[in-house]
Amino acid sequence: MTSSTVDLVRRPHAVGTEIAVRSARDQRVPLLLFLLPMFVALACVLPGIGHRQLWRDEHCTWWASSIEYPDLGFLIEHIDVVFAPFYAVMHLWIALVGASPAALRLPEGLAMAASAGLLGLLGRQMFTPRTGLVAGLLFALVPTVTRYGQEARPYAFAMLFSLLATLLLLRALERPSLKGWSLYTLTLTLTGLSHLVGLCVVAAHAVAVLRARRGGAHFVNWAFGCAVVMGTSMVIPMVIKGSRQAGQIAWNTATLGELATYPMELFGSWFTGAVVMSLGVVGLLTAGHKALVPAVWAVLPPVLTFLTSDRLHLFLPRYLLFTVPAWLLLAAAGAVRCADALTFAVRAGRWRRLASAALMTGALAGFAFQALPALMSARQDLPGEPDFAAAGRVVTAGQRPGDGIIFNGNFGVRKAMAYELREGAPPTDVLMKRTPQQTGWYRANECDVPSTCLAGRRRLWLVSTAVGNPRSGMRPSTAAALAGRFAVVRTNRLHNLTIQLLERRSR
């Protein structure tokens, strides 16, 4: 018998204790990698989540998610079919918790926090535990994570499900099972239902499958193919219908200037974009074959959407937010490699690991300090958006029974004011002939003869986003009816918005 065998015979309890300790440690590591980034992300995303007022896209979310399901079905026949699953889920959420800014954004904030934890696990799966922890913490500190974690749109869910799909695929390749491949199929469907562009992550998954096949797992290409076909089958009808609605984003034709500002828009600041992408290049050059999957994930979607932007109009940083984790995986791998290189002179293994950990901690603290201004800015009102919240307060404070309200300008002013005046009894929208529910759009149809619709009204509130003259761009018939019958008795000029109180002239 060998000495090791003798030790096993003589010390069975000691060996069993050692195995139990290792098992407990192996269970604690994934838990730490998930929970620590998640709590840091929560600390960044949740403060002030209801302070920033909704902007025009969020008003669309509220409107579509608040109307009845038959009206939603009529709406998506004309517009936003690709967001239909998100609106349907948010309809249930609003029914449960209400429609305050914080309530509308809480699901997205939680999705971002869960994404930080999943990125920690994915980094461990693809590289090392240290890489996963660094990637998850970096993710929590990226300004656009806070920005879109505080926005009632589906981009955080596209991020969450693309991360989960990637993690489940790698585990299915490592330990194949029907359950594993079924869960991967489901998450592919959820990724596509969250946002169609998120399915570009499948290209990175194909690289992982090819690597596994070269390693001897020849059946995985069939399992992967079946999963992709089944996972996208529920999304295909939405793709077909959405292609017919592409005109609604036809304005989005990318230019070289927008490509140049892509890093800043994707990460929320030039500093964050420069650091992450620079370290990402280091990770790409030093991580070898392990960098292939995140590299395809990070680079291919923006390249494809930019080259096809004149037809598909999908090159928008917020559409490509799901590529941020891939960049952070590469950046974390590069950061760990740099830390190891800088502490190479420390000979003892334990002290070298401690020195590397201290260096990484200091670097993360410095990154957080430099990213803090952009993080704080991400919680503020968007600079170009009108101050509809203040407009709602002005109208609510000054209205009387029988008042009417009319609108002029862009930015979805009618929809925005409907949100701000959703509680209580708002003034009557006197010019509305057909409601948005009846038109199947976000806008209403107005009276053909405004003077008839204005008859009998003594006071009107005019809410306008027109620059300069509040009546600039107004229909001539409406402007004429107002000029002949009403006088301005009060004007409130707000940020990119003007409110006028009009009273009928005495004859």
Side-chain angles (χ1 to χ4, degrees), residues 165-179:
T166 306
L167 181 61
L168 289 173
L169 172 69
L170 295 180
R171 291 186 174 180
L173 293 175
E174 186 179 89
R175 297 183 296 275
S177 67
L178 178 61
K179 177 183 177 182

Side-chain angles (χ1 to χ4, degrees), residues 43-48 51-52 146-147 150 374-381:
C44 292
V45 172
L46 290 186
H51 294 171
R52 179 167 60 88
T146 293
R147 164 76 170 81
Q150 293 190 350
L375 265 173
M376 301 303 294
S377 178
R379 298 171 182 165
Q380 299 174 2
D381 289 344

Side-chain angles (χ1 to χ4, degrees), residues 2-38:
T2 64
S3 59
S4 60
T5 305
V6 172
D7 288 341
L8 286 174
V9 173
R10 292 179 177 177
R11 299 186 297 111
H13 297 293
V15 173
T17 301
E18 183 178 353
I19 293 174
V21 169
R22 289 181 180 177
S23 177
R25 183 180 60 192
D26 292 342
Q27 292 176 2
R28 286 196 300 267
V29 169
L31 193 62
L32 175 66
L33 293 177
F34 181 84
L35 292 180
L36 185 56
M38 183 189 73

Side-chain angles (χ1 to χ4, degrees), residues 462-466 468 470 491-500:
L462 168 61
V463 182
S464 174
T465 57
T491 298
N492 294 80
R493 296 194 179 276
L494 307 172
H495 180 65
N496 290 339
L497 183 71
T498 302
I499 300 177
Q500 288 186 334

Side-chain angles (χ1 to χ4, degrees), residues 193-217:
L193 293 178
S194 298
H195 201 271
L196 290 176
V197 183
L199 285 176
C200 289
V201 76
V202 172
H205 295 176
V207 173
V209 170
L210 288 175
R211 283 185 53 205
R213 191 172 186 275
R214 290 177 181 175

